[in-house]
């Protein structure tokens, strides 16, 4: 189809490409961002409201009078579609071009947060100069992946004596560093495993249950901050760097919209995409916030439990704790098996629908 003259119902619009939909919306001075479903809904509403294109044709539609003329019309229609795709692509490139405002907001928040972290640990109560230097040295080696287990043991040994006297200061310190990394992981890809190291450290300092609750809560709050920050100012930056992956995630989201929570849940438990990629993609592909938060909270539970247990083992590797670790491992196995249930039910439902459709035909 090369126009909207033969569109009688909303489903007819779904046969157009994203480029065509964006061009039709642009002609009617409508917003052109969003998923294909949102573009279809917006265009259908505009058509029902009688919104005309800026350069609408004033003559009546003309039917071809000969096969040659019909072929010519078809070639013209193909040319129109190609032009629409080219214009939509150019428009998309203009939308995805970061401005100084995008960079200023994202990096302004990022470096302001770093400043708060430095001030916090500079004035940490009761922290002696020698211990402070030891923490800095060990953390630097940990970031460089230089004997990470040894560095974690050193940091835990130094920090543990402050946990008894300044418990909430330690908890808040872990929280602000954890959330900073969760929010700006896209800019610190050279620091892999930082969130895991912080979860292990939390388990070593706080014990299994407090560390599990803290880390899982922070692992949920972090993506919420990403959703707001990158949904507001970070879209052009993300699309510039990861546009292809974002469009791939958008396509998968459209395919799984009927069972969105279970799809996101499975991605969080066994991520086919890195967790930071899912977090930055969610606001850009217009993923609904409620299933996104719920799937993140429950989907990251196995990950949080595993690292908190590892940290607790690091701190108290006795026979009693090893027994608890076995139970934690079994719990993770059960949760892992449960994540397969939605996929199985979805495939079964799809198979039944295909069987019913085949019988009807």
């Amino acid at each position: 189809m090369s126009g909207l003259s033969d569109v009688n119902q909303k489903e007819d619009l779904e046969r157009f490409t994203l480029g065509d939909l964006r061009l039709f919306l642009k002609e009617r001075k409508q917003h052109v961002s969003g998923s294909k479903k949102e573009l279809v809904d917006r265009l259908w509403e505009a058509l029902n409201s009688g919104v005309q294109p800026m350069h609408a044709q004033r003559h009546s539609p003309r039917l071809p009078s000969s096969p040659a003329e019909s072929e010519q019309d078809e070639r013209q229609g193909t040319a129109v579609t190609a032009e629409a795709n080219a214009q939509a692509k150019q428009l998309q490139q203009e939308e995805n071009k970061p401005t100084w405002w995008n960079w200023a907001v994202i990096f302004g928040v990022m470096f302001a947060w770093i400043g708060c972290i430095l001030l916090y640990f500079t004035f940490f109560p009761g922290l002696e100069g020698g211990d402070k230097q030891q923490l800095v040295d060990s953390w630097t080696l940990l970031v460089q992946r230089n004997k990470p287990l040894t560095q974690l043991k050193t940091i835990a040994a130094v920090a543990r004596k402050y946990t008894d006297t300044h418990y909430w200061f330690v908890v808040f310190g872990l929280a602000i560093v954890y959330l900073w990394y969760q929010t700006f992981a896209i800019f610190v890809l050279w620091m892999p495993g930082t969130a895991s190291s912080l979860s292990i450290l939390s388990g070593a300092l706080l014990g299994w249950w407090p560390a599990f609750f803290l880390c899982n809560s922070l692992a949920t709050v972090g993506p919420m901050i990403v959703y707001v920050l990158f949904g507001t100012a970070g879209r052009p930056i993300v699309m510039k760097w990861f546009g292809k992956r974002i469009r791939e995630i958008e396509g998968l989201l459209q395919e799984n919209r009927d069972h969105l929570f279970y799809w996101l849940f499975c991605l969080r438990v066994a991520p086919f995409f890195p967790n930071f990629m899912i977090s930055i993609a969610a606001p850009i592909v217009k993923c609904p916030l409620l299933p996104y938060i719920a799937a993140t909270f429950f989907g990251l539970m196995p990950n949080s439990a595993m690292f908190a247990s590892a940290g607790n083992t690091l701190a108290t590797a006795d026979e009693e704790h090893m027994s608890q670790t076995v139970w934690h491992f079994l719990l993770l196995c059960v949760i892992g098996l449960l994540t397969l249930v939605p996929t199985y039910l979805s495939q079964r439902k799809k198979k039944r629908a295909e069987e019913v459709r085949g019988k009807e035909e």
Side-chain angles (χ1 to χ4, degrees):
M1 293 187 298
S2 61
L4 298 174
S5 58
D6 55 348
V7 172
N8 299 316
Q9 54 185 355
K10 186 176 178 181
E11 287 71 17
D12 294 336
L13 294 174
E14 296 177 356
R15 289 180 284 173
F16 287 102
T17 66
L18 281 171
D20 290 331
L21 292 171
R22 290 192 175 107
L23 181 61
F24 293 143
L25 287 168
K26 183 183 177 183
E27 289 175 345
R28 289 162 175 79
K29 295 184 178 181
Q30 304 291 315
H31 294 295
V32 297
S33 61
S35 65
K36 184 172 183 179
K37 182 177 183 299
E38 291 172 330
L39 297 182
V40 168
D41 293 341
R42 197 175 302 143
L43 181 56
W44 180 248
E45 183 179 351
L47 292 175
N48 286 335
S49 302
V51 179
Q52 296 295 323
M54 293 181 289
H55 54 279
Q57 298 285 339
R58 295 302 179 186
H59 56 78
S60 301
R62 179 182 57 83
L63 296 176
S65 58
S66 66
E69 190 174 351
S70 178
E71 184 178 352
Q72 182 181 1
D73 287 348
E74 185 176 349
R75 285 198 301 269
Q76 290 176 349
T78 303
V80 169
T81 302
E83 182 183 358
N85 288 333
Q87 292 181 8
K89 185 176 181 180
Q90 182 180 359
L91 180 64
Q92 188 176 20
Q93 289 175 348
E94 292 175 358
E95 286 183 342
N96 295 335
K97 186 178 180 179
T99 64
W100 67 268
W101 180 83
N102 299 115
W103 295 108
V105 171
I106 297 298
F107 281 103
V109 175
M110 178 179 175
F111 287 109
W113 202 323
I114 292 176
C116 293
I117 292 174
L118 294 176
L119 284 174
Y120 185 84
F121 285 103
T122 298
F123 296 102
F124 192 92
L127 190 60
E128 300 175 359
D131 289 341
K132 187 183 298 185
Q133 187 61 44
Q134 192 173 10
L135 287 174
V136 171
D137 293 341
S138 297
W139 183 259
T140 302
L141 292 173
L142 178 63
V143 171
Q144 296 173 355
R145 314 305 296 169
N146 187 345
K147 298 180 180 179
L149 185 59
T150 302
Q151 307 311 327
L152 278 174
K153 286 183 177 180
T154 303
I155 295 172
V158 175
R160 196 175 296 120
K161 58 185 178 182
Y162 293 97
T163 305
D164 295 335
T165 55
H166 302 90
Y167 182 86
W168 291 110
F169 279 95
V170 173
V171 171
F172 189 74
L174 288 169
I176 58 176
V177 176
Y178 195 104
L179 287 176
W180 177 86
Y181 181 79
Q182 285 274 318
T183 304
F184 301 103
I186 183 178
F187 301 115
V188 287
L189 297 179
W190 49 273
M191 294 172 57
T194 300
S196 304
S197 300
L198 289 169
S199 299
I200 293 173
L201 185 60
S202 300
L205 296 177
L206 309 178
W208 190 81
W209 279 109
F212 167 68
F213 178 77
L214 174 68
C215 293
N216 202 67
S217 299
L218 294 176
T220 305
V221 174
M224 290 172 60
I225 299 175
V226 173
Y227 193 98
V228 175
L229 183 61
F230 283 84
T232 303
R235 174 189 169 87
I237 298 174
V238 174
M239 292 303 295
K240 179 180 176 63
W241 290 355
F242 304 102
K244 183 178 179 181
R245 301 295 297 274
I246 298 299
R247 285 188 287 270
E248 184 179 349
I249 293 175
E250 182 179 15
L252 292 173
L253 184 142
Q254 297 300 327
E255 293 176 5
N256 295 276
R257 187 169 287 277
D258 292 338
H259 46 273
L260 186 58
F261 169 80
Y262 299 112
W263 178 68
L264 291 170
F265 178 76
C266 292
L267 281 183
R268 289 300 195 185
V269 173
F272 299 99
F273 296 94
N275 272 318
F276 83 88
M277 184 66 69
I278 301 171
S279 299
I280 62 175
I284 295 173
V285 301
K286 308 297 183 183
C287 178
L289 184 59
L290 184 58
Y292 169 70
I293 294 174
T296 299
F297 180 79
F298 292 106
L300 291 178
M301 277 186 174
N303 192 57
S304 301
M306 180 176 63
F307 287 117
S309 180
N312 201 15
T313 303
L314 186 70
T316 57
D318 52 27
E319 184 176 347
E320 179 182 356
H321 181 73
M322 293 302 291
S323 175
Q324 294 178 1
T325 303
V326 172
W327 283 108
H328 295 162
F329 177 75
L330 293 175
L331 175 62
L332 295 180
C333 291
V334 171
I335 295 175
L337 290 174
L338 289 176
T339 62
L340 301 177
V341 173
T343 304
Y344 169 75
L345 294 177
S346 175
Q347 293 294 330
R348 187 176 178 181
K349 182 179 179 181
K350 184 177 180 181
K351 186 177 180 180
R352 285 183 176 178
E354 290 176 352
E355 291 177 353
V356 171
R357 194 179 303 113
K359 291 179 179 179
E360 291 177 351
E361 294 176 353

